[in-house]
Amino acid sequence: MEKWTELIRSRMVDWHFNTIGNWSDEAFIRESRLPYVWQMDGFPTTAKCIFRDFPDVFSKEYEDNAEQFAKQLKHVADDPYMIGYFLRNEPSWAFVQHLMIAEKVLENPKPSACKERFLKWLEEKYKNVENLNKAWKKQYDSFEELCKPQIMIASYSEEARNDAIEFSRIMIRQFAAVPSLACKAVDPHHLNLGMRYSMLTDPVLLSGAEYFDVFSLNGYQENPYEEVQKAGELTGKPVIIGEFHFGALDAGLPSCGISSVATQKDRGLAYRQYYEEGMKSPYFVGAHYFILYDQPVLGRFDGENMQIGLL
């Protein structure tokens, strides 16, 4: 391990890599004394979720779990080699194109703190159920009727759609704010690097970015410029690519990864082009290549066996 650490560190320096990326070996991080980023584990959730892995973000349970989650930063809070931490990786609810998470609150038959907050928000906005009925083109007898499953409220009327969008922003802002504030309380010294969204499916996903120091995306496009520029313009934040890669089938494994080219030489050219295009955006602060070694031929824990490694 000592010799391996020495070898990999020297290669990183010789190849001009200046950061140890996500999910790296903790012993290597400690021994190499190079700048690194930290992936937090166990993002706070709740026993009952709203949709997929989106928690009941207005519940006391979410707040309490966020405080516990933040405690893992204690052992790195004073490490001068750490650049910052990623709160989590690729929320699965955010993979859904044009998702309005507020719709899922009212579709979900279970009671939740989010549902209570949504109904209170609607009552404060419309004052009485008659005004709500007029705006949504419905015939409710009371706001309490919304406790029963309401399917695709954005289709009811233009005003209902606007309400779904606005409360979705409020929910996603809370989703980001609660763990971010808890982490800053434990570790005020390092950068909050965000949540590594898989893609920008909708600008509403940018809600809560004010609680991040850097906005992060995983960028498997051939050219990251458009996504980086869009995220930077909409948030005003620096943007980092949490992972990207290029694979090829002319050597090694039977899978060429999420982004592929023809040959090993083309992989190098694609890497160079990716960085040069990213650097055209003033918001771009870097990208982390995924991964150091090719994956196992028989597959890692989820079956991935991609020819994507630097080695």
Side-chain angles (χ1 to χ4, degrees), residues 50-94:
I50 301 302
F51 173 72
R52 293 192 178 181
D53 58 351
F54 193 96
D56 192 2
V57 294
F58 285 104
S59 67
K60 181 70 163 52
E61 180 187 8
Y62 185 59
E63 185 179 326
D64 291 344
N65 289 343
E67 290 180 2
Q68 286 298 120
F69 167 74
K71 289 179 181 178
Q72 66 189 278
L73 289 171
K74 285 183 177 179
H75 80 290
V76 292
D78 296 316
D79 189 345
Y81 288 98
M82 189 169 99
I83 297 168
Y85 50 86
F86 292 108
L87 294 170
R88 63 166 302 161
N89 185 63
E90 296 186 346
S92 70
W93 60 268

Side-chain angles (χ1 to χ4, degrees), residues 101-153:
I101 196 67
E103 279 196 313
K104 299 302 179 183
V105 173
L106 296 188
E107 287 179 14
N108 193 323
K110 298 173 184 176
S112 65
C114 283
K115 189 176 289 187
E116 289 179 18
R117 183 64 62 96
F118 195 6
L119 296 190
K120 182 179 179 182
W121 184 81
L122 289 170
E123 285 191 62
E124 289 175 352
K125 177 177 180 178
Y126 289 107
K127 309 303 180 188
N128 58 60
V129 74
E130 290 78 15
N131 291 336
L132 175 68
N133 285 334
K134 183 178 179 181
W136 282 24
K137 297 183 172 26
K138 301 295 285 185
Q139 295 181 339
Y140 299 119
D141 292 326
S142 67
F143 284 97
E144 285 67 36
E145 275 194 66
L146 292 167
C147 292
K148 301 173 184 177
Q150 308 293 314
I151 308 302
M152 297 177 66
I153 62 171

